Amino acid sequence: MEPLYKPEGVEERWQRTWEAEGCFRAGAGARRDETFVICVPPPNVTGALHLGHALNGSIQDVLVRWHRMRGFDTLWQPGYDHAGISTQNVVEKQLVREGTSRKELGREAFVERVWSHLEETGRTIMGQYRRLGASLDYERERFTMDDDYIEAVMRFFVHLWERGWIYRANRIVNWCPFHETAISDLEVVHEEMDDALTYAVYPFADGPLPDGVAGITVATVRPATMLADVAVAVHPDDERYRAAVGRDVLVPVVGRHVPVVADERVDPEFGTGALKITPGHDPTDFEIGRDHDLPVLTVLAPDGRLNAEAGELAGLRQEAADERVLAWLRVHGRLERRESYRHAVSTCERCHTRIEPLVSLQWWCAMEEPRQPALQALRERRVRYHPESQHQFAMRSLEEIPDWNISRQLWWGHQLPLWSCPDGHVTCVWPPPETCAECGSGVLERDPDVLDTWFSSALWPYATLGWPRETPELARYYPGDVNSTAREIIRLWENRMIWTGLELLGDVPFTDVIIHSTILAPDGRRMSKSLGTGLDPLEMIDRHGADATRYGLLKMSSTQDVRFAEGMIEEGRKLANKLWNVARLLLATEATPEARPTAVEERWMLARLDTVRAEVEARWSAFDFSPSVQALYHLTFDDFCDWYAEAIKPRLRAGDADAAATALAALERLVALLHPVLPHVTEEIWSQFHETRLVLSPWPEPDERYAADAAALTRVHEAAAIFRRSGVAVELGSEDERRIFAAVVRPERAKANGNAAAELERLRQEIARAERMLDNERFVANAKPEVVEAEREKLARYRRELDALSS
RNA sequence: GGGCGCAUAGCUCAGCGGGAGAGCGCUCGCUUCACACGCGAGAGGUCCCUGGUUCAAUCCCAGGUGCGCCCACCA
C-alpha cells in the first residue's frame, strides 16, 4: 500500500469487478425478504450528466448500498428517456448546421437519424454513472422507446381512452413556431425581454361620439395580430368608455367592423384601459371572445408566418408583418405613440423561440378524476415529499392541476394509438386495428401526432418492470420505496407517476420523494451550459476521485441552493487518503480482525463507532445527508485517527496481539460505515484483509456493550485540551488515563506553548456564568431537568479543572 | 403579481432556545517511525437591522432590508 491513496485505477478496477461479479444485480447478497427499490430518474438521452445528476446519483447510491448491506433485496433501476422535444431539437439543429431540415428528410428518415444519434449518447450517460460508482443494475437498462415500453405506453393510452378521460378540443395552446408543435404550460419558460408597446387608434365606424371622441386607443406588443381582432373590450365600470360600449370600431388595415364590449377581465389601469380582442392568438381574449359569442380568427400559420387570412401580408414572418402594420398606422394617422416596454415573454424551454398562443385542435387528458386518489395519498402521507415544504407544493399542484395537453406535432416520440376512417370515426385500440371499430372500414389512417414525452415517463416505475405483463419483477419490486429528483420536476414527473401508479396498479409507486438541493455555480448563478457556468462531474472525478466527488456533493446537499465549492470535494479526497493511511498502519500488523478489547480506549472506540452508526442511520432514514458525511468525517479524523490510533500505537509496536486484532475489528466497522459514501477506497481496504466483497457484506449490527466506557475517555480528552491550551498537565485518576494521555499528547515531544494564565481566566469566567444560571431560581424551575443537570455537571467539572490547574 | 427559501468567521456552509462551530484560507511551530492530501498551536464573528415573546434568543414571533429560486395570460 502506497503512502498516498490514488483513486485512479483503483476506482475503475472496482467498478469493473463489482459489475462482473454481479454485485449490483437486483437481489444480490439479499439476506432478507424485504425489498428496497429506487428507479433512477431517466436522464434525457440527448445530454451528458451534469453535477445535479451526480449529486442525485450519490444520494440514491448511498441509500441503495446501505440497504444492500443491510440485506434487503435491492433494485436500482437504470435507464433513459427519449425526451421527445429535446432530442428532436438537438437533431434538428444538427440538420440545420448541415444545411438541411427535417422536412427535407421526411419523417421516416428523420426518426432513423435520431436513433443513430442516440447510440453514442446513451453509452456516455451510463458510462458516467459507472464512473461515479453508482451501483445500478446495469443489465436491466431500459429506454422509453424499447418495444416493451412502447407497448406499455400504448396500453396506458387505451386505458385512459376507455376511462373516457381522453378528448379532443380546439383550444388556445402554447405553440412553438420552431418545432411547430403545441407544448404544455410546464414546457414554457418566461424570459424578460425588451419590447415596444404600440398605441393604435380604432375609430368608431359611424363617426365620432357626441362629445367629439373619434375612436378608442388600444395598446399591443404584436401589431400584426390586429388582423385577427374581433372586438375591443373595456371594463364595465370604466366611465371613460361608457358611451362607447355597444358601438362598432374599425380594425386598422383590414377595416373590419368590430363591437366594443364590456368585460371585467379587462384591467382599466393598464395601458389605455381598452383591450383589443384576438381570440385566435391570446388565451384571455379566447375566453372573452367565447363568453361574448365572438368569432375566432387566425392569421398566424403553424410556422409563425401570416396565413391567407392576412391578405396582402400573407407569407410574411410576424416581425415583418408587425413593421408593415406599423407603417400603415403611421401613414393613416392611427399611430398614437410607441413606448419601450420590458415584460416577461413566454418562450420554448428547448429552443427559446417566442411562444405564439394559437387556437389548435389537440388531444387532452382530463385530470379532475385521476388526480383525486393521488391527492388523497399525499394528504394521508402514503407518499411523503422531503422536505415538507415540497410536500405542500406537491399537494397544491395537484389541487390546481389543469387538463393535460398530451399531443405534440413532433416526429420523435410515441405516436398516438388512434386511427380514423374516411367517415371520421376514431378507433383507439392496441395492437393496431385492421378495421374501423364503428363502420368496419378497412381504410384507416393513424393520427400523426406523438405523445408528450412526460406521458411515457409517468409509467417509469412499473413499465421498467414489465407492466402491462404480469412479470415476477413487477410482483416483487412494485411498489418501490424512494424517488429522488430536483424541484422543477415535481409536477412534470413525480405527481404523474403517483396518479398513474394508483390508477393502473392500485398503489403508489414509492413512499418517499427526496427533493434535493440545486447546485449553483460558484458565483451564485444557475449552472447551465449556455451561461458557460456548467461543470462536468467527470472533471471532478478525474481530479479528486469518485469517492471524493460523492462526499463533496453529499456535503453540499443540505440546503435549498448551494454554491458549488470544490473545497468540499477536496475534503472528501483528504478523508479517503486519511482512511487509507490509517488502514496502512493497522494492516501492517497482519492480525485477524476480532474485537477483544482489553483497554478503555478500545471499548471507547467501539462505542463511538456504534454511536455514529446510529446517528448515520437516523440521518439517512430522514434523507439528511450533509450531517451524515460530516459525522463520518469527524469519526474518521478525530476519533479513529487522532485518538484511537494514536492511543494504541505504543501497544501495536510492542506486538500486542489483542490490540492488533481489535484494531482491525474496529477498522472493519469503520470502512463498513463509510462504504455507502466512499465505496471504492473502502472496498480496496477491505480487500487487503478479506476474500469477500464489502459491497455485499453486512452493515454493522448495533452494539451497546461498550457505551459505558465512552465517558472514561472524555476525561482524557479534556485533560489533553487543557494541556494544549495551558501547558499544565491535569492530574489523571487511573493508570489507563495516564497511558492514553501520554500516547495521544506525547508531552515529551509537544512543546507546551500554551498560556496557563489565560486558561485560568477562561475557567473562572465559565464558573461565574454557570453559577449565575444555577442561582437563577426561574432557570432552575423552568428549564428542562437535564439541562439544569448538565449545567451542574459543567460547574463541577470547571471547578475540578481549576483546582487541578491552580495546584 | 403569487408561492417558497436564504442572510452565522476572509470563502463555502453546518448548528437552531441555555457554553458561537466545521472545512478551506491565514499566522506560528514541526523532515514525530500511517498520512506534509500530514501533526501541533493560534488569530479571526454586534450569528443582516428593529421591535416582541421568554428567567434566558443566533435559534421562536412581527416588521424592515438585501439576495435567490419556483410559479404567473395584465394587453
Side-chain angles (χ1 to χ4, degrees), chain A residues 271-291:
Chain A
T272 62
L275 173 63
K276 70 187 208 54
I277 299 299
T278 323
H281 299 295
D282 183 274
T284 309
D285 294 8
F286 183 78
E287 287 174 24
I288 293 177
R290 188 189 53 207
D291 296 348

Side-chain angles (χ1 to χ4, degrees), chain A residues 200-217:
Chain A
V201 181
Y202 287 39
F204 290 110
D206 42 7
L209 297 182
D211 58 10
V213 175
I216 294 184
T217 305

Side-chain angles (χ1 to χ4, degrees), chain A residues 45-46 81-89 91 102 107 110-112 114-115 118 143-145 408-415 450-451 453:
Chain A
V45 72
T46 43
D81 195 289
H82 68 286
I85 191 167
S86 308
T87 308
Q88 177 153 337
N89 184 47
V91 176
R102 83 176 145 107
R107 183 163 186 158
F110 178 78
V111 169
E112 256 173 52
V114 173
W115 273 106
L118 299 183
F143 183 40
T144 52
M145 292 297 273
R408 298 288 180 274
Q409 290 66 52
L410 298 169
W411 288 352
W412 174 240
H414 302 99
Q415 204 172 340
V450 300
L451 287 157
T453 193

Side-chain angles (χ1 to χ4, degrees), chain A residues 769-785:
Chain A
R769 186 193 54 78
E771 282 176 344
R772 242 191 342 268
M773 280 178 69
L774 288 165
D775 284 347
N776 182 336
E777 282 170 29
R778 289 199 245 190
F779 165 65
V780 178
N782 297 325
K784 278 177 276 184

Side-chain angles (χ1 to χ4, degrees), chain A residues 103 250 501:
Chain A
K103 284 181 182 166
L250 293 175

